[in-house]
Amino acid sequence: MQKLQNYINGELVAPASGNYIDNYHPATGKVYSLIPDSDAKDVELATDAAKKAFPEWSKKSIQERSAILLKLVDLIERDMDKLAEAESKDNGKPIWLAKAVDIPRAAANFRFYATGILHEHTEAHSMGEEAINYTLREPIGVAGCISPWNLPLYLFSWKVAPALASGNCVVAKPSEITPMSAYLLSELCIEAGIPAGVFNIVHGLGPKVGSAITEHPDIPMISFTGGTQTGATIARTAAPMFKKLSLELGGKNPNIIFADCDFDEMLKVTLRSSFANQGQICLCGSRIFVERPIYEKFKTAFVERVSQMKVGDPSDDKSKLGAVVSKPHMEKVLSYVELAKEEGGTVLTGGHRVEMEGELKDGYYLAPTVIEGLNYNCRTNQEEIFGPVVTIMPFDTEEEVLMYANSTKYGLASTIWTSNLKRAHRVAAKLHTGIVWINCWLLRDLRTPFGGVKQSGVGREGGFEALQFFTEPKNVCIKL
Ligand code: NDP
């Protein structure tokens, strides 16, 4: 069985403990590889290597850093199919989705930051004839990057690329549930000639490896994407050490559909925004609010289309949904369906495990699920489920739907469907979310700030925001 290795000081190495954990194939429920069960000793080795590499890496010209990272982009693109197949095998998502979204976007993230540094500028503030100030932006040192399992290489690259491009060295931990694409990336980093120690990947469990990164005194900045509770644990550890923190956390996103929308386009995109990646995207719209005049029409059309979505083998191009990521996650999602029923909800379609045959019979497949009849403030509508489950609710007025939409502790993203431009702007301004999509979903420009408000996070990723996070501004004032 394949044993993954840590990537420390430019080499693939076994964990200090010599122990490994099982890595499951969600499509079949079988163990298919072994992951290093690393601990604080491995994080120590990785941090030492990163500290040693930092002076030289941070002093390289931006052209040199850019060229090395662009080599990595070429290799990711060369291995696009291999990486997409590995991502699908590790995570359960359809291969077509990994080929269309995950891996191309991982390459795009590296390319964006490898070239972005060539166009960055800093500011100068003139004080007339008296003085001039200029601002330098300096890399900080060793960045700790911790990422989740839902879009494994894509979200990993979103942290690691700006950290490296801006001249920091990195100690990173991918989710232990989906480590394979990060492991394959470490092989490509060696091939691309990334200098030893600049980028280190330590595999293993969050409470061991993740917390060792968070606690390490020589890692002054942590970029984390994951659940809100884990984010709170990290913040508690990091705050007294005055670490810089970027936290991208959970969501419970509203999808607000007004009666005057382009119905067909809305329906097509709402199927995606509800169930793409088995509903395991932090941006999925899991609470669907529909203006009453079209509620019944929407319900009939939506339920019919959802019930026809094929759940199946991730390697089959016809599968709209593959497997969810793990058995415990499948059980968690199903427990929320039971909770919804207890809370008075009616399951209109789905709500159960999909039984497969042959090799796939122990895989973690869930039917896309639509629930109605729930209050906006019940647990099902307030807590993040992070699976193929949405609720639908009618509304009558803008004020009412804004109250529903803003009622959760989360504030990541929202979607509005309307052909009334004034209303679109008015509602967007009143939504408490970091991202608002109007008549679209997941349309991403890498230059834009990405992140949430309230308990969906602290700080922003994407664009130059990320380069700013991974650097410290220094103002220099010169008396003339
Ligand atoms: P978790 O919070 O469980 O884990 C995220 C990462 O943190 C994993 O690598 C995990 O390791 C690690 N970790 C766990 N415990 C600790 C700890 N004590 N200290 C440091 N690191 C730790 O999230 P999931 O992986 O379950 O991801 C799903 C969550 O991510 C959802 O809530 C989703 O909304 C959110 N998310 C947010 C996004 C955003 O941009 N706002 C984007 C995508 C997802 P291990 O895997 O070993 O537990």
Side-chain angles (χ1 to χ4, degrees), residues 127 129-133 476-480:
M127 295 169 72
E129 291 184 354
E130 191 186 358
I132 183 153
N133 298 272
V476 181
C477 177
I478 312 169
K479 191 163 185 331
L480 298 177

Side-chain angles (χ1 to χ4, degrees), residues 21 146-151 155 158 173-178 204-214 224-231 233-234 237 247-251 280-283 325 329 332 384 386 410 412 450-452 456-457 461:
I21 7 182
I146 304 174
S147 59
W149 48 258
N150 61 328
L151 303 164
L155 294 180
W158 214 6
K173 189 196 100 63
S175 171
E176 145 265 336
I177 301 166
T178 52
L205 299 167
K208 277 197 206 172
V209 178
S211 52
I213 291 174
T214 314
F224 168 80
T225 299
T228 293
Q229 261 184 328
T230 317
T233 307
I234 289 175
T237 308
L247 303 174
E248 297 292 342
L249 309 175
Q280 302 164 137
I281 302 181
C282 52
L283 304 165
V325 76
H329 190 60
K332 176 191 152 187
E384 186 182 42
F386 214 57
Y410 297 109
L412 187 53
F450 177 94
S456 286
E461 291 196 303

Side-chain angles (χ1 to χ4, degrees), residues 30-43:
K30 306 269 184 310
V31 175
Y32 83 103
S33 60
L34 297 172
I35 315 157
D37 183 8
S38 313
D39 56 33
K41 281 195 208 100
D42 305 279
V43 171

Side-chain angles (χ1 to χ4, degrees), residues 286-352:
S286 52
R287 295 178 296 148
I288 304 177
F289 301 110
V290 188
E291 206 174 7
R292 201 173 299 274
I294 61 161
Y295 182 78
E296 287 302 325
K297 178 182 172 191
F298 171 80
K299 175 174 144 181
T300 308
F302 187 59
V303 170
E304 190 194 332
R305 296 280 293 275
V306 174
S307 58
Q308 289 164 3
M309 290 177 96
K310 181 172 159 56
V311 180
D313 188 342
S315 62
D316 180 350
D317 281 352
K318 293 197 195 71
S319 299
K320 291 274 185 242
L321 289 85
V324 299
V325 76
S326 67
K327 192 160 184 249
H329 190 60
M330 176 178 71
E331 284 161 1
K332 176 191 152 187
V333 175
L334 286 172
S335 77
Y336 270 102
V337 175
E338 290 313 306
L339 175 70
K341 289 185 203 157
E342 283 163 28
E343 290 183 319
T346 305
V347 175
L348 301 175
T349 183
H352 55 82

